[in-house]
Every structure is written in C-alpha cells, then in structure tokens.
Amino acid sequence: MTGSILGTTKVVGLIGNPVEHSLSPVIHNAAFRHLQLDYVYVPFPVHPDGLARAVRGLFQAGIAGLNVTVPYKERVLDCLDRVDHYAQVLGAVNTIVKEDGQLVGYNTDGPGFIRSLQAEGVDVRGKTVLVIGAGGAARAVAFALGQAGVREITFVNRTVERAQNLKREIDDIVQVEVLPLTPETLQKSLQSCQIVINTTTVGMYPHTDNTPVPGQLLQPRLTVVDLIYNPLETRLLRAAKRAGCNTVSGLGMLVYQGAASFELWTGKTAPVGVMTDAALAKLNR
Ligand code: ATR
C-alpha cells in the first residue's frame, strides 16, 4: 500500500473463515509500502455457502490475486479453471492468480517451508525427518520434504489412521514409517532422525505450557522445527535450545509462503526482511 487507495490501486486478499487473526495483511501491506507498489491486501471472511460465488465475484470485481486459508484450501480447487501440478498433487491451494483470464491455483506452503529452512542453513537432502502430526500442515510439509530429497519420513500422530492415509498418498516419492504418538515411539524415532518438525497445534497460544515432545528426549545433534509462530518460542523450542539443538520457528514458513504468493501476484522479488520485521512487530505487540 502506498499510503492512499486510488482508482488505480490493485486489490489482493485472503479468503478463509475466520480471517481476523491472520498476519498476512500486515506482511503483504508492509511489502507493498516498502516497494511503493500500488496494491492493498484485504482479508475477506467468506461464508461456507458462498465460496464459489465469492471467488468468482471477487475476480469479476477486478481483484488481482487471492490467498486461501482454513477451511477452504481443499474445497477451493472446484472453483478454479486450472491448478498447478504441485497443488493438484497436494489437493490444496493457498494462492490464486488470474492468468490469461483463467483462475489458476498454486500452493506456496511447501516451497515456503523449504525456503524458510534454507534461509536458516538447514539442508534436508538425505536426512531422516520425524514429522509430528498428520493434518493439513503435515501434508504440505511432507510433500515438500519428499520433493526436496529427504531419505525417510517418520510420522507420529495421535490418530494413527490419519498418518497411515498420509503415508499411502506419499510413499511413492519417499520412504515413510508411521507410529502412534507416545513417549516411547518419540524416544525411538528421535534416535534415528536428524530433523524433527512439529506440525500439530500442541503448544500454540493460549496453551503455551503444552509440548508435543518431552524436553528430556532432545539431543544436541537435532534440528528442531516448530510450525507454530504464536508464541514465537514455543515450549518445545525453548527446551530444544536448552538441550543445545538448532531451532527454527514457524515464522519463516509464514513469511516465505507469503513471499512466494507475493511474487506470483506482482512478478517482483518479495522483500523478505521487511515482511519478517512486520510480522515480528505485530506478534510482539
Ligand atoms: P493443520 O491443518 O494445521 O495441520 P489439522 O488438520 O486439524 O490442522 O491437524 C492438527 C494436527 O494436530 C493433527 O495431527 C492432530 O492430531 P489428530 O490427527 O490425532 O487429530 C494434532 N493435534 C491436535 N491437538 C493435539 C493434541 N492435543 N495432542 C496430539 N496431537 C494433537
């Protein structure tokens, strides 16, 4: 946003429900201001009965691009003309762009996750990775890890069946093991992995005293990643730091998936530092 909204201002936005707590408006509007782009990012709380009409209507009203969040990332595929191969495989879209009059869906969550690890100097190639959780975030992360060349993924999840379903979807691109979430299975799998990633909501605000991994199981040789960014330092990451592990918070994934969406809409390189600072300022307020 350049400061004032003009007749020329391009609108991009977010559809989901709820959208009130999203950090994306803060991140994108800071980037638009920084690059002096005549764009504004607006959240839209879309009613479940009106998803297709909202998507079509927003683009008919001239919107330049959309992000899609919970609970519409899967359902929105039916509203689009075309879906990029990776988003199709994942069955989830978080970014929509109008290309030659067609609505095209992309997914920047997985690539954003890998970019955020690279930014922290973490190389996943050939590694054994423990993924805690088997929900939507775990799917995006696991497909991205598979494509980025990890050696093996172990899923531990409270509901084992969900992890088994995920294994079936992904085991043609990467070797996968599935275990129930217990202290014993965590202990066993932590011994053989180099990277552990929490994709569950355990430890997220307001339940900040919770952790998916007992701290005493953490070894200094591990890289511990938490997709949670509120709080920035979860109980898991605090324990991991104390144990001498390399740690990565969920803020990077949030910023880099946003950066990739920004680049799809504007064709400009996203100012990642500015976006990170804007998110941090909002989180610390
Ligand atoms: P997202 O799209 O953010 O991944 P989700 O699909 O609802 O959200 O998945 C949430 C994940 O957190 C799941 O792996 C869930 O475990 P179940 O599949 O057993 O539901 C996990 N999760 C949530 N609360 C949990 C808790 N209290 N203990 C352990 N796992 C939990």
Side-chain angles (χ1 to χ4, degrees), residues 70 133-138 157-159 162 181 199-202:
V70 177
N157 198 42
R158 183 177 59 180
T159 312
R162 223 173 159 195
L181 176 60
T199 71
T200 75
T201 47
V202 179

Side-chain angles (χ1 to χ4, degrees), residues 21 25 37 61 85 89-90 95 103-104 107 116 140 142 165 180 205 222 259 273 279:
H21 300 292
L37 296 178
H85 175 72
V89 170
L90 205 58
T95 305
L103 300 189
V104 186
N107 194 304
S116 76
N165 291 340
Y205 179 85
L222 291 168

Side-chain angles (χ1 to χ4, degrees), residues 34-285:
H34 179 75
L35 294 182
Q36 298 192 328
L37 296 178
D38 189 12
Y39 277 80
V40 63
Y41 186 105
V42 185
F44 298 100
V46 170
H47 190 279
D49 293 342
L51 177 63
R53 268 174 298 158
V55 171
R56 291 278 158 194
L58 284 165
F59 278 98
Q60 275 163 7
I63 204 159
L66 281 176
N67 272 149
V68 184
T69 190
V70 177
Y72 300 134
K73 285 186 184 186
E74 291 85 21
R75 273 181 56 196
V76 82
L77 269 78
D78 296 336
C79 312
L80 305 175
D81 300 312
R82 211 150 44 80
V83 177
D84 147 83
H85 175 72
Y86 176 69
Q88 189 79 56
V89 170
L90 205 58
V93 158
N94 80 330
T95 305
I96 308 174
V97 186
K98 200 167 188 177
E99 292 173 4
D100 302 325
Q102 293 202 312
L103 300 189
V104 186
Y106 292 90
N107 194 304
T108 67
D109 287 330
F113 174 68
I114 298 296
R115 267 176 80 179
S116 76
L117 291 185
Q118 284 167 345
E120 296 289 331
V122 178
D123 183 0
V124 299
R125 277 172 303 174
K127 302 280 169 44
T128 298
V129 183
L130 172 61
V131 174
I132 305 169
R139 279 184 88 231
V141 160
F143 273 95
L145 290 170
Q147 286 195 329
V150 297
R151 196 177 76 81
E152 184 178 348
I153 298 175
T154 302
F155 289 109
V156 295
N157 198 42
R158 183 177 59 180
T159 312
V160 183
E161 196 191 358
R162 223 173 159 195
Q164 278 160 345
N165 291 340
L166 193 45
K167 173 184 158 91
R168 272 193 287 278
E169 287 184 63
I170 200 177
D171 67 2
D172 55 338
I173 61 166
V174 60
Q175 196 180 322
V176 178
E177 193 185 354
V178 166
L179 294 166
L181 176 60
T182 68
E184 293 74 32
T185 56
L186 281 174
Q187 182 168 20
K188 175 176 171 280
S189 38
L190 281 167
Q191 277 162 5
S192 55
C193 75
Q194 293 89 47
I195 302 172
V196 48
I197 304 169
N198 175 42
T199 71
T200 75
T201 47
V202 179
M204 190 185 284
Y205 179 85
H207 305 292
T208 54
D209 281 343
N210 295 345
T211 178
V213 183
Q216 69 272 18
L217 298 182
L218 298 168
Q219 305 291 325
R221 55 177 187 76
L222 291 168
T223 291
V224 180
V225 184
D226 201 331
L227 296 196
I228 294 171
Y229 54 82
N230 188 12
L232 266 179
E233 190 173 84
T234 55
R235 183 169 169 195
L236 170 63
L237 290 189
R238 222 169 26 250
K241 269 187 191 159
R242 224 178 290 129
C245 308
N246 183 26
T247 62
V248 182
S249 87
L251 185 67
M253 179 174 177
L254 175 75
V255 168
Y256 279 98
Q257 63 76 30
S261 300
F262 181 98
E263 289 168 3
L264 282 169
W265 298 324
T266 66
K268 307 249 189 263
T269 302
V272 172
V274 168
M275 295 166 102
T276 304
D277 290 348
L280 280 172
K282 176 75 179 164
L283 284 169
N284 289 329
R285 208 175 295 149

